[in-house]
Amino acid sequence: MSFTSESSVPTTAEDEAVRICRELIQIDTSNYGDGSGPGERAAADYVMGLLQEVGLDPQLTESEPGRASVVVRTEGRDSSRGGLVLHGHLDVVPAQAEDWSVDPFAAEEKDGMIWGRGAVDMKDMDAMLLATLRQLARSGEKPPRDIVWAFFADEEAGGVKGAGHVVTQHPEWFEGCTEAISEVGGFSVTLPDAATGAPTRAYLLQTAEKGIAWLRLHARGRAGHGSVPNPENAVVRLAEAIARIDAHPWPRTYIASVRELFDGVAQIVGTTWSEDSVEDLLVRLGGARRFVEGTLRDTANFTMLASGYKHNVIPQTASASLDCRFLPGHEEELLAIIGELAGEHVEVEIVHKDVALEAPSSGELVDSMRRALLKEDPGAHVLPYCLSGGTDNKHLSRLGITGYGFAPLRLPDDLDFVGMFHGVDERVPVDSVRFGTRVLGQLVANC
């Protein structure tokens, strides 16, 4: 696929995806979760320009000044079929520049990689979608069904000011849509193939994701002088609650997508597995291991603490932020356990909560994703898996839309891909972006 840009320089969708990825990274859209960041408006305006340049008529909406999302619909050959939503988010988590070996917003290209905050989460996928959409618009061709292309704000803070706002205020933009595709799926891991003795790639298609419960614990006590014994110290009460919650042994639970993943890996490498022995399979998953380990049980991790205002004053209150992720069907149980472990002197506040999701691991769309991947990487395998984090598919699910994670990337086997998410020196291989653009082009043509 190729086209001629407005500057009359011949290029390809793959070339353009690389360029757009770098240009998006250079737009700082850091989301601090408290409204203090730059917002997504500059990136949304950039996206609007890219789409308007090829004759499309996108819609821009803001949940509040600067928190912008962009949506556009392309008509398919058969609009009676359920529409497909292809979506990404424009915001990124913050980056501490002093920790990086490069400027996190310079989008430097070196060692065959694009470096910068958002390179994998998820301005690479945004770029692949935009390049694919621009190519589609310039070709004048229609995909098999209607496609809604969405670029949301605020995903890194739960999506309330992005996908949540759009779904609530403009549900008509998604009318007739039944399925959606977004991030953190379709990437490869390298496994030893027992049948051939050679390394083979397996692409992990996200068919499930854990639910989110962002909680804040508030301990109450009695203020006092730091030199006087105080059995009602709020800091101590909070510390005791933290210790109880951190020590809680969350039991392992194997949901369907996890079982299918382990079954598939075991078949490829020529072994067996049991619920009591999964270490061998986890080791073989390489860089994807941490994502998969996070789906074997509910989790509760403390992330922030706040208390006190002077060294010699015992404070009246102390608080801690807790990031809980629960498997499908475990929401009420997890919240009850946290409440019990927190104890009588600690209040549990729900800051943000959203559902866990499960989607079928078979069907027409799954077959289309599999065909698109295998056309570019014949002989590879496609396996379902559950994401330990969350995506904007949660918001779309309120409209009855079934969501998958499919940002296709063929990765080098020595790249710690999972470590790139929210990590220092985040980067994505240029060849992977090119590969993903080709796969998405195949998918759009045959969805």
PDB file of all heavy atoms in Angstrom, residues 405-427:
ATOM      1  N   GLY A 405      -8.045  -6.925  22.940  1.00  0.00           N
ATOM      2  CA  GLY A 405      -6.777  -6.213  22.865  1.00  0.00           C
ATOM      3  C   GLY A 405      -5.956  -6.765  21.720  1.00  0.00           C
ATOM      4  O   GLY A 405      -5.603  -7.954  21.718  1.00  0.00           O
ATOM      5  N   PHE A 406      -5.647  -5.899  20.724  1.00  0.00           N
ATOM      6  CA  PHE A 406      -4.948  -6.377  19.536  1.00  0.00           C
ATOM      7  C   PHE A 406      -4.165  -5.223  18.930  1.00  0.00           C
ATOM      8  O   PHE A 406      -4.628  -4.547  18.019  1.00  0.00           O
ATOM      9  CB  PHE A 406      -5.949  -6.942  18.527  1.00  0.00           C
ATOM     10  CG  PHE A 406      -5.331  -7.587  17.317  1.00  0.00           C
ATOM     11  CD1 PHE A 406      -4.653  -8.791  17.412  1.00  0.00           C
ATOM     12  CD2 PHE A 406      -5.440  -6.991  16.069  1.00  0.00           C
ATOM     13  CE1 PHE A 406      -4.097  -9.396  16.290  1.00  0.00           C
ATOM     14  CE2 PHE A 406      -4.886  -7.581  14.935  1.00  0.00           C
ATOM     15  CZ  PHE A 406      -4.209  -8.791  15.048  1.00  0.00           C
ATOM     16  N   ALA A 407      -2.977  -4.975  19.492  1.00  0.00           N
ATOM     17  CA  ALA A 407      -2.029  -4.011  18.925  1.00  0.00           C
ATOM     18  C   ALA A 407      -0.854  -4.836  18.422  1.00  0.00           C
ATOM     19  O   ALA A 407       0.117  -5.054  19.142  1.00  0.00           O
ATOM     20  CB  ALA A 407      -1.589  -2.998  19.974  1.00  0.00           C
ATOM     21  N   PRO A 408      -0.934  -5.336  17.195  1.00  0.00           N
ATOM     22  CA  PRO A 408      -0.009  -6.392  16.743  1.00  0.00           C
ATOM     23  C   PRO A 408       1.429  -5.908  16.610  1.00  0.00           C
ATOM     24  O   PRO A 408       1.720  -4.960  15.886  1.00  0.00           O
ATOM     25  CB  PRO A 408      -0.595  -6.789  15.378  1.00  0.00           C
ATOM     26  CG  PRO A 408      -1.374  -5.593  14.925  1.00  0.00           C
ATOM     27  CD  PRO A 408      -1.918  -4.967  16.164  1.00  0.00           C
ATOM     28  N   LEU A 409       2.323  -6.583  17.327  1.00  0.00           N
ATOM     29  CA  LEU A 409       3.748  -6.265  17.282  1.00  0.00           C
ATOM     30  C   LEU A 409       4.556  -7.559  17.255  1.00  0.00           C
ATOM     31  O   LEU A 409       4.417  -8.401  18.152  1.00  0.00           O
ATOM     32  CB  LEU A 409       4.157  -5.449  18.516  1.00  0.00           C
ATOM     33  CG  LEU A 409       3.528  -4.058  18.689  1.00  0.00           C
ATOM     34  CD1 LEU A 409       3.895  -3.491  20.054  1.00  0.00           C
ATOM     35  CD2 LEU A 409       3.959  -3.113  17.582  1.00  0.00           C
ATOM     36  N   ARG A 410       5.378  -7.723  16.226  1.00  0.00           N
ATOM     37  CA  ARG A 410       6.331  -8.838  16.194  1.00  0.00           C
ATOM     38  C   ARG A 410       7.596  -8.346  16.881  1.00  0.00           C
ATOM     39  O   ARG A 410       8.268  -7.440  16.391  1.00  0.00           O
ATOM     40  CB  ARG A 410       6.617  -9.272  14.764  1.00  0.00           C
ATOM     41  CG  ARG A 410       7.545 -10.480  14.665  1.00  0.00           C
ATOM     42  CD  ARG A 410       7.608 -11.018  13.249  1.00  0.00           C
ATOM     43  NE  ARG A 410       8.091 -10.016  12.300  1.00  0.00           N
ATOM     44  CZ  ARG A 410       7.922 -10.095  10.985  1.00  0.00           C
ATOM     45  NH1 ARG A 410       7.261 -11.114  10.458  1.00  0.00           N
ATOM     46  NH2 ARG A 410       8.402  -9.161  10.188  1.00  0.00           N
ATOM     47  N   LEU A 411       7.928  -8.953  18.015  1.00  0.00           N
ATOM     48  CA  LEU A 411       8.969  -8.427  18.892  1.00  0.00           C
ATOM     49  C   LEU A 411      10.210  -9.305  18.920  1.00  0.00           C
ATOM     50  O   LEU A 411      10.111 -10.531  18.813  1.00  0.00           O
ATOM     51  CB  LEU A 411       8.421  -8.306  20.315  1.00  0.00           C
ATOM     52  CG  LEU A 411       7.217  -7.377  20.498  1.00  0.00           C
ATOM     53  CD1 LEU A 411       6.636  -7.547  21.888  1.00  0.00           C
ATOM     54  CD2 LEU A 411       7.620  -5.920  20.261  1.00  0.00           C
ATOM     55  N   PRO A 412      11.390  -8.706  19.125  1.00  0.00           N
ATOM     56  CA  PRO A 412      12.586  -9.502  19.375  1.00  0.00           C
ATOM     57  C   PRO A 412      12.427 -10.275  20.678  1.00  0.00           C
ATOM     58  O   PRO A 412      11.813  -9.782  21.630  1.00  0.00           O
ATOM     59  CB  PRO A 412      13.696  -8.453  19.488  1.00  0.00           C
ATOM     60  CG  PRO A 412      13.085  -7.128  19.298  1.00  0.00           C
ATOM     61  CD  PRO A 412      11.618  -7.274  19.143  1.00  0.00           C
ATOM     62  N   ASP A 413      12.946 -11.483  20.723  1.00  0.00           N
ATOM     63  CA  ASP A 413      12.704 -12.326  21.897  1.00  0.00           C
ATOM     64  C   ASP A 413      13.438 -11.842  23.139  1.00  0.00           C
ATOM     65  O   ASP A 413      13.156 -12.302  24.245  1.00  0.00           O
ATOM     66  CB  ASP A 413      13.043 -13.790  21.606  1.00  0.00           C
ATOM     67  CG  ASP A 413      14.485 -13.986  21.156  1.00  0.00           C
ATOM     68  OD1 ASP A 413      15.270 -13.021  21.221  1.00  0.00           O
ATOM     69  OD2 ASP A 413      14.827 -15.108  20.730  1.00  0.00           O
ATOM     70  N   ASP A 414      14.396 -10.914  22.998  1.00  0.00           N
ATOM     71  CA  ASP A 414      15.142 -10.446  24.161  1.00  0.00           C
ATOM     72  C   ASP A 414      14.639  -9.102  24.684  1.00  0.00           C
ATOM     73  O   ASP A 414      15.235  -8.518  25.590  1.00  0.00           O
ATOM     74  CB  ASP A 414      16.633 -10.338  23.842  1.00  0.00           C
ATOM     75  CG  ASP A 414      16.928  -9.370  22.688  1.00  0.00           C
ATOM     76  OD1 ASP A 414      15.975  -8.965  22.005  1.00  0.00           O
ATOM     77  OD2 ASP A 414      18.106  -9.048  22.472  1.00  0.00           O
ATOM     78  N   LEU A 415      13.540  -8.590  24.141  1.00  0.00           N
ATOM     79  CA  LEU A 415      13.005  -7.312  24.587  1.00  0.00           C
ATOM     80  C   LEU A 415      12.051  -7.523  25.756  1.00  0.00           C
ATOM     81  O   LEU A 415      11.109  -8.313  25.668  1.00  0.00           O
ATOM     82  CB  LEU A 415      12.262  -6.614  23.444  1.00  0.00           C
ATOM     83  CG  LEU A 415      11.620  -5.259  23.799  1.00  0.00           C
ATOM     84  CD1 LEU A 415      12.681  -4.218  24.100  1.00  0.00           C
ATOM     85  CD2 LEU A 415      10.704  -4.777  22.669  1.00  0.00           C
ATOM     86  N   ASP A 416      12.298  -6.817  26.860  1.00  0.00           N
ATOM     87  CA  ASP A 416      11.394  -6.871  28.014  1.00  0.00           C
ATOM     88  C   ASP A 416      10.203  -5.972  27.720  1.00  0.00           C
ATOM     89  O   ASP A 416      10.109  -4.844  28.209  1.00  0.00           O
ATOM     90  CB  ASP A 416      12.132  -6.412  29.274  1.00  0.00           C
ATOM     91  CG  ASP A 416      11.232  -6.444  30.509  1.00  0.00           C
ATOM     92  OD1 ASP A 416      10.149  -7.073  30.457  1.00  0.00           O
ATOM     93  OD2 ASP A 416      11.613  -5.828  31.528  1.00  0.00           O
ATOM     94  N   PHE A 417       9.290  -6.476  26.925  1.00  0.00           N
ATOM     95  CA  PHE A 417       8.179  -5.664  26.429  1.00  0.00           C
ATOM     96  C   PHE A 417       7.277  -5.191  27.561  1.00  0.00           C
ATOM     97  O   PHE A 417       6.902  -4.020  27.618  1.00  0.00           O
ATOM     98  CB  PHE A 417       7.378  -6.468  25.404  1.00  0.00           C
ATOM     99  CG  PHE A 417       6.234  -5.714  24.794  1.00  0.00           C
ATOM    100  CD1 PHE A 417       6.454  -4.592  24.011  1.00  0.00           C
ATOM    101  CD2 PHE A 417       4.922  -6.129  24.993  1.00  0.00           C
ATOM    102  CE1 PHE A 417       5.386  -3.893  23.435  1.00  0.00           C
ATOM    103  CE2 PHE A 417       3.854  -5.443  24.422  1.00  0.00           C
ATOM    104  CZ  PHE A 417       4.098  -4.327  23.637  1.00  0.00           C
ATOM    105  N   VAL A 418       6.936  -6.077  28.465  1.00  0.00           N
ATOM    106  CA  VAL A 418       6.068  -5.696  29.579  1.00  0.00           C
ATOM    107  C   VAL A 418       6.731  -4.609  30.420  1.00  0.00           C
ATOM    108  O   VAL A 418       6.067  -3.691  30.919  1.00  0.00           O
ATOM    109  CB  VAL A 418       5.711  -6.924  30.434  1.00  0.00           C
ATOM    110  CG1 VAL A 418       4.966  -6.514  31.694  1.00  0.00           C
ATOM    111  CG2 VAL A 418       4.865  -7.904  29.624  1.00  0.00           C
ATOM    112  N   GLY A 419       8.047  -4.678  30.549  1.00  0.00           N
ATOM    113  CA  GLY A 419       8.770  -3.661  31.306  1.00  0.00           C
ATOM    114  C   GLY A 419       8.729  -2.292  30.675  1.00  0.00           C
ATOM    115  O   GLY A 419       9.027  -1.281  31.332  1.00  0.00           O
ATOM    116  N   MET A 420       8.363  -2.211  29.408  1.00  0.00           N
ATOM    117  CA  MET A 420       8.253  -0.922  28.730  1.00  0.00           C
ATOM    118  C   MET A 420       7.022  -0.142  29.195  1.00  0.00           C
ATOM    119  O   MET A 420       7.014   1.084  29.165  1.00  0.00           O
ATOM    120  CB  MET A 420       8.160  -1.112  27.212  1.00  0.00           C
ATOM    121  CG  MET A 420       9.372  -1.763  26.539  1.00  0.00           C
ATOM    122  SD  MET A 420      10.858  -0.758  26.628  1.00  0.00           S
ATOM    123  CE  MET A 420      11.755  -1.652  27.915  1.00  0.00           C
ATOM    124  N   PHE A 421       5.977  -0.823  29.620  1.00  0.00           N
ATOM    125  CA  PHE A 421       4.744  -0.160  30.017  1.00  0.00           C
ATOM    126  C   PHE A 421       4.959   0.606  31.320  1.00  0.00           C
ATOM    127  O   PHE A 421       5.267   0.011  32.356  1.00  0.00           O
ATOM    128  CB  PHE A 421       3.610  -1.183  30.187  1.00  0.00           C
ATOM    129  CG  PHE A 421       3.076  -1.698  28.882  1.00  0.00           C
ATOM    130  CD1 PHE A 421       3.749  -2.693  28.181  1.00  0.00           C
ATOM    131  CD2 PHE A 421       1.914  -1.198  28.343  1.00  0.00           C
ATOM    132  CE1 PHE A 421       3.268  -3.168  26.971  1.00  0.00           C
ATOM    133  CE2 PHE A 421       1.422  -1.657  27.134  1.00  0.00           C
ATOM    134  CZ  PHE A 421       2.105  -2.641  26.447  1.00  0.00           C
ATOM    135  N   HIS A 422       4.828   1.915  31.247  1.00  0.00           N
ATOM    136  CA  HIS A 422       5.009   2.810  32.392  1.00  0.00           C
ATOM    137  C   HIS A 422       6.448   2.778  32.908  1.00  0.00           C
ATOM    138  O   HIS A 422       6.714   3.262  34.019  1.00  0.00           O
ATOM    139  CB  HIS A 422       4.036   2.466  33.537  1.00  0.00           C
ATOM    140  CG  HIS A 422       2.601   2.581  33.160  1.00  0.00           C
ATOM    141  ND1 HIS A 422       1.571   2.482  34.084  1.00  0.00           N
ATOM    142  CD2 HIS A 422       1.983   2.788  31.963  1.00  0.00           C
ATOM    143  CE1 HIS A 422       0.401   2.621  33.465  1.00  0.00           C
ATOM    144  NE2 HIS A 422       0.638   2.809  32.171  1.00  0.00           N
ATOM    145  N   GLY A 423       7.380   2.224  32.152  1.00  0.00           N
ATOM    146  CA  GLY A 423       8.746   2.069  32.608  1.00  0.00           C
ATOM    147  C   GLY A 423       9.666   3.179  32.116  1.00  0.00           C
ATOM    148  O   GLY A 423       9.298   4.031  31.310  1.00  0.00           O
ATOM    149  N   VAL A 424      10.902   3.145  32.623  1.00  0.00           N
ATOM    150  CA  VAL A 424      11.941   4.069  32.196  1.00  0.00           C
ATOM    151  C   VAL A 424      12.494   3.594  30.848  1.00  0.00           C
ATOM    152  O   VAL A 424      12.610   2.389  30.597  1.00  0.00           O
ATOM    153  CB  VAL A 424      13.063   4.135  33.252  1.00  0.00           C
ATOM    154  CG1 VAL A 424      14.247   4.951  32.755  1.00  0.00           C
ATOM    155  CG2 VAL A 424      12.515   4.727  34.550  1.00  0.00           C
ATOM    156  N   ASP A 425      12.858   4.551  29.989  1.00  0.00           N
ATOM    157  CA  ASP A 425      13.379   4.248  28.655  1.00  0.00           C
ATOM    158  C   ASP A 425      12.410   3.404  27.829  1.00  0.00           C
ATOM    159  O   ASP A 425      12.800   2.459  27.131  1.00  0.00           O
ATOM    160  CB  ASP A 425      14.748   3.560  28.734  1.00  0.00           C
ATOM    161  CG  ASP A 425      15.862   4.529  29.105  1.00  0.00           C
ATOM    162  OD1 ASP A 425      15.667   5.751  28.969  1.00  0.00           O
ATOM    163  OD2 ASP A 425      16.936   4.061  29.533  1.00  0.00           O
ATOM    164  N   GLU A 426      11.152   3.745  27.899  1.00  0.00           N
ATOM    165  CA  GLU A 426      10.119   3.093  27.080  1.00  0.00           C
ATOM    166  C   GLU A 426      10.482   3.228  25.600  1.00  0.00           C
ATOM    167  O   GLU A 426      10.875   4.293  25.139  1.00  0.00           O
ATOM    168  CB  GLU A 426       8.769   3.752  27.366  1.00  0.00           C
ATOM    169  CG  GLU A 426       7.583   3.145  26.623  1.00  0.00           C
ATOM    170  CD  GLU A 426       6.279   3.862  26.944  1.00  0.00           C
ATOM    171  OE1 GLU A 426       6.264   4.686  27.889  1.00  0.00           O
ATOM    172  OE2 GLU A 426       5.282   3.609  26.244  1.00  0.00           O
ATOM    173  N   ARG A 427      10.328   2.150  24.861  1.00  0.00           N
ATOM    174  CA  ARG A 427      10.692   2.164  23.441  1.00  0.00           C
ATOM    175  C   ARG A 427      10.001   1.019  22.710  1.00  0.00           C
ATOM    176  O   ARG A 427       9.610   0.024  23.322  1.00  0.00           O
ATOM    177  CB  ARG A 427      12.209   2.052  23.262  1.00  0.00           C
ATOM    178  CG  ARG A 427      12.834   0.820  23.903  1.00  0.00           C
ATOM    179  CD  ARG A 427      14.344   1.007  24.082  1.00  0.00           C
ATOM    180  NE  ARG A 427      14.978  -0.190  24.630  1.00  0.00           N
ATOM    181  CZ  ARG A 427      15.083  -0.429  25.945  1.00  0.00           C
ATOM    182  NH1 ARG A 427      14.567   0.431  26.827  1.00  0.00           N
ATOM    183  NH2 ARG A 427      15.698  -1.521  26.371  1.00  0.00           N
TER     184      ARG A 427
END
